[in-house]
Amino acid sequence: MKKLTFAFMTTALMACGGAKDNAPTIEDFNYQVDKFADVEILRYRVPDFEQLTLKQKEMIYYLTQAALEGRDILYDQNHKNNLTIRRTLEAVYENYKGDRNSEEFAALTTYLKQVWMGNGIHHHYSEEKFTPAFSKAFFESAVAQTDARLLPLLENETAAQLVARIAPVIFDPTLYPKRTNQEPGMDLILTSANNYYEGVTQAEVENFYAKMKDPNDNTPVSYGLNSKLVKENGQLVEKTYKVGGMYSAALERIVGWLEKAAAVAENDKQREVIEKLIAFNRDGDLKTFDEYAIKWVQDVESQIDFINGFTETYGDPLGMKASWESLINFKNIEATKRTQIISDNAQWFEDHSPISPEFKKEKVKGVSAKVITAAMLGGDCYPSTPIGVNLPNSNWIRRDYGSKSVTIENITEAYDQASLGSGFAEEFMWSQVELDRAKQYGSLTNNLHTDLHECLGHGSGKLLPGVDPDALRAYGSPVEEARADLFGLYYMGDEKAVELGLLPDAEAYKAAYYQYIMNGLMTQLTRIQPGKNIEQAHMRNRQLIASWVYEKGKADKVVELKKRDGETFVVVNDYEKLRGLFGELLTEIQRIKSTGDYEAAKTMVETYAVKVNQEIHTEVLDRYKKLNLAPYRGFVNPVYTLVTDKNGKVTDVKISYDENFVDQHLRYSKEYSVLPNYN
Ligand code: ZN
């Protein structure tokens, strides 16, 4: 069976003495880990970790440890009782002697998993407090029979007193209902359950920080970013997160690992980045933080990169306090090479495009994007994680020094592959042939299509002189997206894609074509309410393309909608002709764009992109509902193990993927948990 790795990459790395790659391939990797409440837990691969040098692997190892040490900080930031509640639940879970198959114990297990997923008692996405499905009586008896030494008791507290203290927090829906309250008209600080402020009102907070800010400062620090604001003896004080300050125990360990990482840095620039971050963790001075951010954004050469610290401010209703997060990653050389190949050949693609010559650009410049591989997710990037990152957040640093924007390809791969195993593809794809192609090529062709769309599609073609760029008005956006999508679709089916090594063979593009048409004609309708039209530009463009080629290819039966046992399926009979139709539509769409033909854009969009086939819509919603898919997804991390010889010298770093969701969290709570119950 053909593997998804690029043949030319493997050969190149082997030739220059790279380690043998025994990493799991897409096909034999088990992406699905766990499922509970409204969540599905996935696993991600770290392709090419084995290809890194020993020094790079060692550095990643130290950074991953620093990433895990911050876990408890986030729990405490999310709500002040989170650590106590999590520790109580974990003690009960591990030591319960009653019936572990009972409904109540199962409900407690689900609740504990929800707490791990939310880094506390609130949902990671809705931010609302979970409702437990076990009874307070069960909780009381389960805690009572747990060895008191394992419980997070206060001084001189009994187990019964602990339960009396935290049961209302768990069970009373009116207490701390929302982690971050954004509803205008209320005191957002007093009504938010998070732990960034205590004993202060919104007006006091706003006044406190307004006094600090200088309107003439062109390079202001990020006020309030790394502290909790409290009232002590009637005075407002910032309790700064730093070594010797708040969260000291965890930050000391983080600094320890960062020091080890600095010692094996790839180059001086990277070492300076790490040293600045250490300095910031020590002094807590926001000026040091800005110096760090500037060094970080300028380090573009190193292969390894990372985030570790107080970064995003979504958790604070006033957008000042940052939650702790970490993402350890390294440049995906294969994928970055792919975007480089595309960018280097931008002119060839433009010259060979099917569009009319007067609409082509004489000189076209491709954009190269950085693609990364996540090696570890921590804090607010775990278990739920972003698929792309753009930092730093400071506006003046972005203005003066730029920002780093990356896409995390191994995370999107996990999402794609898990969808293939969820029953979704099995339900909607016509036969095993389409399913096999999707499994074999789907992730690669999805990524390639995105690259062609972003790196070339939007930048190709030109307007005729005198044409108003806004001539297409409201139809401009779906037309532009269709243009970029069609550019990508057309070239994926070109032999040039195989010649350049972007695709492994002449079969691969068929996976992309089939999925595109299936999505555009049917499955994207799962996101539309019954009776509604399509409004969103990307969804409009996809239906436009799919229904246009369906219509135009009807006589030749290029694409058909076939019924089997009363269910509708997309069938593509002729992929070559389908490519020809994509080319034809690209030609027409480019003409509309280049000449600013508003009437044609309107007719095209209104005819093909807006209205929904009611019969198919009802059927699709019905079939989708039966699949019972989880709306939210989280991840488990791989496990890294340092291998040393008898003198303590590091000889290797091993990566393994066999830890499940429960074991991972129980282990993290033992190995990376040094903060007190209350901070
Ligand atoms: Zn686009």
Side-chain angles (χ1 to χ4, degrees):
M1 230 177 159
K2 197 170 268 303
K3 300 293 177 201
L4 248 182
T5 43
F6 287 82
F8 70 86
M9 273 304 299
T10 319
T11 325
L13 285 160
M14 294 299 234
C16 57
K20 192 170 164 287
D21 187 356
N22 42 25
T25 60
I26 284 188
E27 286 138 334
D28 57 30
F29 194 71
N30 190 7
Y31 291 88
Q32 274 125 334
V33 178
D34 205 341
K35 212 175 161 193
F36 53 88
D38 55 358
V39 175
E40 185 184 19
I41 298 294
L42 307 179
R43 195 190 301 283
Y44 60 93
R45 295 190 311 146
V46 187
D48 295 330
F49 178 77
E50 278 85 353
Q51 312 286 6
L52 298 172
T53 66
L54 176 59
K55 203 173 152 194
Q56 286 177 315
K57 287 194 228 177
E58 191 180 347
M59 184 184 178
I60 287 184
Y61 177 80
Y62 298 137
L63 291 172
T64 62
Q65 301 307 300
L68 297 174
E69 297 286 2
R71 177 170 174 257
D72 283 1
I73 295 178
L74 181 69
Y75 274 80
D76 190 75
Q77 287 183 306
N78 281 343
H79 179 66
K80 62 179 175 188
N81 291 300
N82 276 342
L83 287 173
T84 301
I85 291 174
R86 189 193 79 201
R87 285 165 176 165
T88 306
L89 292 165
E90 286 170 348
V92 169
Y93 177 84
E94 289 193 283
N95 299 284
Y96 187 63
K97 303 286 184 310
D99 180 5
R100 293 180 79 90
N101 294 315
S102 70
E103 246 175 68
E104 295 261 49
F105 188 77
L108 181 129
T109 306
T110 299
Y111 181 76
L112 175 56
K113 287 180 180 180
Q114 287 180 289
V115 168
W116 286 330
M117 178 68 190
N119 289 289
I121 57 175
H122 299 90
H123 192 274
H124 74 282
Y125 190 80
S126 76
E127 310 200 333
E128 273 153 24
K129 198 166 81 172
F130 308 124
T131 317
F134 54 92
S135 68
K136 198 177 153 215
F138 169 78
F139 183 60
E140 272 165 356
S141 78
V143 175
Q145 54 147 284
T146 304
D147 183 344
R149 285 168 302 181
L150 302 170
L151 295 171
L153 301 172
L154 298 176
E155 218 180 326
N156 302 320
E157 192 176 44
T158 65
Q161 285 167 328
L162 169 71
V163 170
R165 189 158 61 80
I166 61 171
V169 184
I170 296 174
F171 293 97
D172 181 351
T174 65
L175 208 54
Y176 309 116
K178 190 111 186 179
R179 191 172 75 202
T180 310
N181 184 28
Q182 308 271 18
E183 244 171 89
M186 293 172 158
D187 186 312
L188 302 182
I189 298 299
L190 294 179
T191 53
S192 291
N194 60 37
N195 193 25
Y196 295 115
Y197 306 93
E198 198 161 354
V200 291
T201 65
Q202 185 177 345
E204 284 172 321
V205 174
E206 286 168 345
N207 191 30
F208 180 83
Y209 284 108
K211 270 195 265 176
M212 275 189 191
K213 287 175 191 168
D214 172 3
N216 298 318
D217 187 355
N218 213 16
T219 58
V221 298
S222 306
Y223 290 101
L225 190 78
N226 63 334
S227 62
K228 176 177 176 177
L229 188 65
V230 299
K231 201 181 273 178
E232 272 174 7
N233 309 318
Q235 295 287 315
L236 294 192
V237 235
E238 277 188 328
K239 289 173 76 181
T240 303
Y241 310 150
K242 62 173 186 175
V243 171
M246 193 163 172
Y247 302 138
S248 185
L251 293 171
E252 283 164 42
R253 303 250 302 224
I254 288 167
V255 164
W257 291 116
L258 290 177
E259 280 171 339
K260 283 178 183 283
V264 289
E266 292 176 273
N267 52 59
D268 289 343
K269 221 171 178 177
Q270 189 181 50
R271 181 175 303 109
E272 284 172 29
V273 174
I274 303 173
E275 282 166 355
K276 264 293 169 212
L277 182 60
I278 293 170
F280 173 63
N281 277 306
R282 288 214 169 103
D283 68 19
D285 184 338
L286 288 166
K287 278 213 172 64
T288 314
F289 180 71
D290 285 349
E291 287 164 20
Y292 152 73
I294 291 166
K295 282 188 185 293
W296 179 80
V297 80
Q298 289 179 322
D299 177 20
V300 287
E301 296 299 314
S302 313
Q303 191 179 358
I304 299 170
D305 205 350
F306 72 101
I307 300 165
N308 179 302
F310 305 98
T311 311
E312 303 286 1
T313 56
Y314 307 114
D316 173 7
L318 302 181
M320 287 186 289
K321 310 282 172 199
S323 61
W324 195 94
E325 70 172 40
S326 189
L327 168 68
I328 313 306
N329 66 82
F330 57 92
K331 204 183 284 172
N332 180 334
I333 295 189
E334 216 169 279
T336 305
K337 206 170 192 171
R338 189 181 69 219
T339 68
Q340 192 60 48
I341 292 172
I342 292 170
S343 171
D344 289 347
N345 289 277
Q347 196 63 51
W348 186 92
F349 286 108
E350 186 73 0
D351 294 346
H352 291 79
S353 154
I355 65 173
S356 192
E358 74 261 39
F359 306 142
K360 287 185 185 177
K361 260 189 191 143
E362 293 78 21
K363 261 203 162 13
V364 56
K365 201 174 170 297
V367 186
S368 177
K370 182 176 159 187
V371 183
I372 61 166
T373 301
M376 180 66 77
L377 312 168
D380 225 353
C381 292
Y382 170 87
S384 168
T385 195
I387 56 168
V389 182
N390 189 323
L391 286 170
N393 284 328
S394 165
N395 284 322
W396 72 265
I397 296 179
R398 294 171 78 89
R399 180 193 69 207
D400 296 350
Y401 298 91
S403 65
K404 275 198 235 177
S405 183
V406 296
T407 55
I408 314 173
E409 194 158 295
N410 58 331
I411 297 295
T412 49
E413 173 195 291
Y415 281 131
D416 285 345
Q417 293 299 315
S419 296
L420 288 169
S422 68
F424 182 85
E426 286 79 358
E427 173 63 36
F428 289 102
M429 286 187 177
W430 172 245
S431 74
Q432 198 57 40
V433 175
E434 287 81 9
L435 261 173
D436 287 344
R437 266 196 212 117
K439 284 190 177 141
Q440 195 178 344
Y441 305 112
S443 276
L444 175 59
T445 55
N446 266 350
N447 289 325
L448 180 60
H449 189 234
T450 306
D451 293 339
L452 290 167
H453 176 118
E454 300 293 348
C455 302
L456 297 180
H458 281 307
S460 83
K462 66 172 184 191
L463 302 181
L464 287 186
V467 170
D468 175 4
D470 297 323
L472 305 181
R473 288 177 270 171
Y475 302 108
S477 178
V479 164
E480 176 55 23
E481 291 310 324
R483 207 174 64 87
D485 262 3
L486 285 162
F487 196 95
L489 288 167
Y490 182 77
Y491 277 117
M492 271 201 288
D494 198 301
E495 51 194 27
K496 187 81 175 175
V498 179
E499 190 193 311
L500 289 174
L502 297 170
L503 289 177
D505 56 48
E507 272 297 286
Y509 81 99
K510 295 177 183 173
Y513 279 24
Y514 186 82
Q515 277 184 294
Y516 197 93
I517 303 293
M518 180 183 87
N519 187 41
L521 288 182
M522 297 183 62
T523 48
Q524 73 164 351
L525 296 174
T526 53
R527 292 194 270 149
I528 300 286
Q529 302 277 321
K532 291 265 162 59
N533 283 335
I534 299 178
E535 303 282 351
Q536 210 266 342
H538 287 91
M539 291 184 74
R540 281 189 166 187
N541 113 62
R542 289 184 204 121
Q543 178 167 304
L544 191 164
I545 293 172
S547 45
W548 192 92
V549 296
Y550 171 68
E551 201 67 37
K552 298 291 166 183
K554 232 175 188 170
D556 293 343
K557 293 195 168 156
V558 178
V559 177
E560 284 184 278
L561 286 170
K562 278 195 187 172
K563 289 261 186 193
R564 184 173 58 210
D565 305 329
E567 293 184 328
T568 314
F569 295 88
V570 166
V571 180
V572 176
N573 295 312
D574 191 331
Y575 283 94
E576 222 168 294
K577 278 194 177 146
L578 179 55
R579 176 167 185 253
L581 289 169
F582 286 144
E584 259 179 62
L585 182 56
L586 175 57
T587 307
E588 173 58 5
I589 290 272
Q590 184 64 54
R591 186 199 66 74
I592 292 174
K593 171 102 184 175
S594 290
T595 60
D597 188 343
Y598 175 78
E599 284 307 319
K602 183 179 171 187
T603 309
M604 178 76 83
V605 173
E606 294 294 346
T607 310
Y608 295 103
V610 181
K611 278 173 239 110
V612 175
N613 177 323
Q614 295 302 322
E615 211 175 303
I616 287 186
H617 192 195
T618 312
E619 181 195 320
V620 166
L621 289 178
D622 216 46
R623 285 162 72 185
Y624 183 71
K625 204 171 161 211
K626 275 187 222 140
L627 294 173
N628 202 16
L629 300 178
Y632 302 102
R633 279 163 165 181
F635 286 90
V636 291
N637 283 314
V639 182
Y640 296 87
T641 317
L642 207 56
V643 185
T644 50
D645 64 15
K646 58 179 189 301
N647 303 318
K649 195 174 162 296
V650 176
T651 55
D652 199 6
V653 179
K654 293 260 179 259
I655 181 168
S656 63
Y657 301 97
D658 42 17
E659 196 167 38
N660 70 34
F661 187 65
V662 173
D663 291 344
Q664 180 149 99
H665 283 276
L666 291 174
R667 183 170 67 85
Y668 286 179
S669 293
K670 288 191 177 70
E671 294 178 7
Y672 309 95
S673 193
V674 291
L675 290 185
N677 297 315
Y678 293 93
N679 291 276

